[in-house]
Amino acid sequence: MLWSLKTTTGEAYIYTLLEHQSSPDRHMAIRLMRYAIAVMQRHLDKGHAQLPLVVPFLFCHGRATPWSGTLNWLELFNDPEVAHQLYTHPFPLIDVGLLEDNDIMKHRRMAMLELVLKHIRTRDLVAFMEPLVTLILAGYTTESQLATLMNWMLQTGDSAQPQVFLREMAQQSPHYKELFMTAAQRLEQQGIEKGIETGRREGIRLGEQKAKQEVARSLLKMGLPVQSVIEATGLSESAVAQLAS
């Protein structure tokens, strides 16, 4: 059920969520929270900018009465006080864009991830190579983690020459040379395949264009008006006019 209220700060929405339970469920509180959050998400999906209030009601019947479990979802944590502190205050924020690279380098196992996140849009990744190599040589990142980070960086970033970056990294990081060279070769192969596919499509397009031109010439020789030829072939007016001249 939904109510809409006018307030001094705008229109507020209140939903009531009705759930029934006939058997004991010690995690009922988190179920109700999950349902309530789903209602909030559907409300946002409709184009609303602010969250609605969702009031869950539990109807207990049958052998489950009297209800003995908690309906405060925070009490389901091992330490409810810590949970209350976490979920009733703003969540922790790490804005890597505001951190200096030198400070990030001190974060050991988190440093690589933070640097990649901060510089993901760097066009010239080679200029960003030195701190990455330093962290790799320090041994804070496993090969699996490094491969995941590099793949994500290359797929998401804006680097103009990713192959150059990978080959430079291979030279600077002998222990992971094979990993970087394999990634560079894969990118080059993808570029070759993309070029072949682009050429194939261009060939098809040119072939279709040529075929349309031949049809247009035949129609013009038969005496059809230029406008009719345009409609029949889909060619532009200037293209048909050039064929007619």
Side-chain angles (χ1 to χ4, degrees), residues 9-21:
T9 57
E11 192 171 23
Y13 294 89
I14 301 176
Y15 290 84
T16 55
L17 172 65
L18 307 179
E19 180 68 10
H20 71 88
Q21 185 73 12

Side-chain angles (χ1 to χ4, degrees), residues 41-91:
Q41 184 60 57
R42 285 198 296 271
H43 184 80
L44 294 178
D45 291 342
K46 292 179 180 178
H48 299 287
Q50 293 183 318
L51 290 175
L53 290 172
V54 181
V55 185
F57 289 91
L58 175 64
F59 283 84
C60 175
H61 60 90
R63 296 181 180 179
T65 57
W67 189 267
S68 57
T70 180
L71 290 179
N72 183 345
W73 74 288
L74 294 175
E75 293 180 1
L76 296 175
F77 290 91
N78 182 57
D79 193 330
E81 291 186 8
V82 173
H84 182 272
Q85 182 74 14
L86 174 60
Y87 293 114
T88 58
H89 289 78
F91 293 131

Side-chain angles (χ1 to χ4, degrees), residues 94-238:
I94 303 174
D95 192 342
V96 294
L98 298 179
L99 298 177
E100 296 292 337
D101 286 1
N102 290 336
D103 292 331
I104 292 177
M105 295 290 288
K106 301 174 185 177
H107 295 173
R108 300 194 177 192
R109 294 190 181 278
M110 286 297 296
M112 178 75 76
L113 174 60
E114 291 175 357
L115 275 175
V116 170
L117 287 171
K118 179 178 178 180
H119 296 284
I120 189 61
R121 300 299 178 187
T122 300
R123 290 288 294 169
D124 184 8
L125 287 175
V126 176
F128 171 50
M129 184 174 59
E130 183 177 348
L132 289 180
V133 171
T134 300
L135 290 172
I136 290 171
L137 295 179
Y140 295 134
T141 308
T142 66
E143 183 171 345
S144 175
Q145 292 170 337
L146 182 59
T148 300
L149 283 172
M150 289 299 105
N151 285 332
W152 180 74
M153 177 188 290
L154 295 170
Q155 292 174 13
T156 310
D158 294 327
S159 175
Q161 295 180 307
Q163 294 96 329
V164 174
F165 167 73
L166 288 170
R167 292 186 181 281
E168 287 290 337
M169 288 292 290
Q171 294 299 319
Q172 296 292 331
S173 312
H175 185 70
Y176 295 111
K177 182 175 181 178
E178 184 177 351
L179 185 153
F180 289 117
M181 291 300 293
T182 300
Q185 291 165 2
R186 187 167 63 248
L187 279 178
E188 290 169 354
Q189 182 61 33
Q190 289 173 353
I192 293 171
E193 292 174 355
K194 184 176 180 181
I196 293 172
E197 178 63 17
T198 300
R200 186 184 70 83
R201 291 180 180 178
E202 184 65 14
I204 292 174
R205 188 188 69 79
L206 291 174
E208 292 175 347
Q209 189 76 0
K210 187 174 181 180
K212 288 180 180 180
Q213 290 173 351
E214 291 300 323
V215 171
R217 285 192 184 96
S218 297
L219 294 176
L220 289 169
K221 287 180 181 179
M222 294 169 60
L224 264 69
V226 170
Q227 188 58 41
S228 297
V229 175
I230 291 171
E231 293 175 359
T233 61
L235 294 173
S236 66
E237 183 177 353
S238 59

